[in-house]
Amino acid sequence: MSMLEIRKLSMFFGGLAALHDVNFDVRQGEILALIGPNGAGKTTLFNCVNGFYNPSEGQVLFKGQPISGLKPHKVCQMGIARTFQVVKPLSRMSVFDNVLASAFLRNPTRKGAQDVADEVLHFTGLWDDRDQLSKGLPLGKRKRLEIARALATQPEFLLLDESFAGLNPAELDVSIDIIRGIKQQGITVMIIEHHMKVIMAISDRIVVLNFGQKIAEGSPAEISADRQVVEAYLGEEHGA
Amino acid sequence: MKNNLVPLVVLAVLAGLPLLGLNSYVMHILILSIMWTLAGMAWNLLGGYCGQVSFGHAAFFGMGAYSAGLIHLHLGLSPWWGFLVSLPLVALVALAMGSVVLRLRGPYFVLATLAIGEVLRITCENLTDFTKGTLGIMITRTWVEKTQYYYIILGLALLGFMVCRAIVHSRWGYYFVAIREDQDAAESMGIDTTRYKTIALTVSAMLTGLAGAFYTNYMGYIDPGVVFSLGEISILIIMVVMVGGVATQWGPALGAGIMVILAEYIRSLPLIGVAYQTMFGVLLIVIIIYLPNGLVGDWPVLRRKLLRRGATA
Amino acid sequence: MWVQAEVFLQTLVAGILLGGLYALIGIGMTLILGVMKIINLTHGQLMMVAMYIAFWLFTLFGIDPYVSLLIAPPLMFAFGMLIQKALVNPVLRVESILPHNQVILTVGIGLVLQNVATILFTSDYRSTPVDYASTAFYLSDLWAGTPVEISLSLPWAVSFLLSVVITVLLWFFLAHTDTGKSIRATAQDKDAALIMGVNVGLMRVITFGLGSALVACAGCLFIPIYYLFPALGSQFTLIAFVITILGGLGSTLGAILGGLILGVFESMTATYVGMGWAPVGRFVIFVAALVFLPGGVASLLKTRKLSK
Ligand SMILES: Nc1ncnc2c1ncn2[C@@H]1O[C@H](COP(=O)(O)OP(=O)(O)O)[C@@H](O)[C@H]1O
Ligand SMILES: [Mg+2]
């Protein structure tokens, strides 16, 4: 079953087509990786899904319902949570309070929200940092805080925007485990990622964007064999 | 546990003060300080916690004050009913204002607040039949003594304190701070930012209106130039919070005490007395540059600086 | 019937003249907003200071306010740069919980300026009684058979024309000089400007000076046709930001249109509702802009362009 359907999605900024006629589905329970060079339109696609942008053309359907044009908080209330590539911690709040604020979404009482926050902090390995101000965290943990905050809204669908960028190998392993754990909880995941190793390890399927257009879609094995992808994306990375 | 005890101790001390037989001037200072504490706590909820800076709290203060004055003038009711009348009135204006400006990002809210105080002042000055214009409204004060007023404003401030405290520790409070810290993040966490900003504004406005209604009853005279004044009300409220402590529980009380005493002191100086608003302005500038989060808010920084100076001396 | 038309046209003319001056005020504010990303809530107070300079030059030395255009704006340019360097820059570096603390700062500066003016000059109303104050042109002088009579006051007309000239000069400066181009680049994208080697810090200082000088020009143009008192400052700050909102934050052309719209609207309010209500009319149009056109006039200009 399709959890999320991207239908003829286009987003124009002035003359620039950040996304052009993109179509694909995300199936329930899978991890779909969205890859492509910088500026390909990946983050823009997330913004169109979570309601920051109202797409110029096309539609996004969540569990069969159109969600384009809804406000971000409505989209989140429906069960889609996201993280930001450029992390946005609530700086002057502690790690715990960041997550607690999120947990209030489905648990209006403080007790209920605290239980959720506790669980999420343990799950993401941030429990020991819970009393720190979030602006004082190192980047790796701030990235994880993004995930924790998104999880605390108890979503069915999770959008992760470059949650692995800038992590050291040890942190990478922790994050991979976290994402696998998220999948085990039955949450569908769409993840933007550059690390090919990570993508191959965790994703069920891959969609490749280049210059705002989808140029390939398939299993990790299929994608790594695709000439076009290798030229557009992997080629670039090897060259760099 | 200890945290819950502090307010009780403070309350007990404050409640006992009049028993000391303080003279009427000291009582006056105390009453004003508590009144500005109430207004400051209200502003702090919106500005300090929710991050929506208002330059127009005089609008709500003035509406509260005029609620009390007008029902007396036209209906012959006791101005004490002003408290009840002001609440729905102020809430309505705040809601209307919130729905227009709080959905927009950018400096719109700041500007709208600045405008609304001025507009209400001018409207009030022009509606001479209804408000008596610049002549103002005079009421007969209920008591000559200060003690009764003292307990009334203390009760109101306590109410304000409890309301703010309850909100800050609840879901609303977390949402307010989340909005202040990062609106995009807040929205993506499922927070309807417009709605919660409007809630913050409305609660804040209502508490400020109560302070205004008290002002009429206590002072016995109001005119648009004072109760809707940018310099004497809106800025003073901001300073109460900025001097005391932004987004802190006790900051407004500290700030109110300091500002009231300072204002009285400066006004009593023979030559510079007329310049007290200038002094306020200078103080505001100094605070913004050196103590942007107020005495309570910047206390850790302050203490470090003082200690270092002590160590080198 | 003709009488009504006459009143209407006369009001319209007055509104356009006023609007031209408003535009000048709005441009200064918009310029600062564009480059600094802060609303300068001491704009009107700066104009008030400039007006006192012109007033005293006239009263003490008999210098015509229009001649003060060569004196007051340069002084205010320096004053604006000083404010930016000594006060705004330090605040930009401060880490505070409250957002908009630069805006609070400008309010504080405005409060000081206004109160110092009250202490020094009292709150009395002042004016510069120039001898051409009541000179006017009449439509009937040009066209004897005109059915409606419209008068055009000489100082109003001169002030309007000068404000147009100053606006054109400014446009030339921004479009064709290196400094002007750097200012525009900074306003458009600070980081890109930095990369291109623009001295952004310097541009900020210059811009604050320029904005102050522009509003000082407006002050010199206003004093022959207006009156002056310290609280005029906050009144004009309000006017300045209503224009800026009407124009669409940060758009110069928008500010000009915004100024004209506000001028005409206020003039109409004063004629058809009552003198004292002009400030309320100002607020009405402000709210209307927020509700119906949050992007200001500039957003109209833009959509026109986009939809080809
Ligand atoms: N708000 C915006 N306004 C204008 N252009 C934008 C905006 N957001 C993204 N873009 C442009 O859209 C393109 C795609 O950006 P983005 O989605 O961030 O790429 P990616 O995440 O794949 O690196 C880029 O060229 C970017 O400059
Ligand atoms: Mg991206």
Side-chain angles (χ1 to χ4, degrees), chain A residues 26-45:
Chain A
V26 187
R27 296 172 198 152
Q28 176 148 29
E30 74 174 344
I31 296 181
L32 181 129
L34 189 61
I35 66 171
N38 274 327
K42 305 178 298 291
T43 300
T44 304
L45 189 133

Side-chain angles (χ1 to χ4, degrees), chain B residues 42 46 152 247:
Chain B
L46 176 68
I152 288 171

Side-chain angles (χ1 to χ4, degrees), chain C residues 38-52:
Chain C
I38 66 169
I39 291 269
N40 173 23
L41 290 183
T42 189
H43 209 58
Q45 280 82 354
L46 291 173
M47 171 167 149
M48 180 263 303
V49 172
M51 285 172 86
Y52 272 106

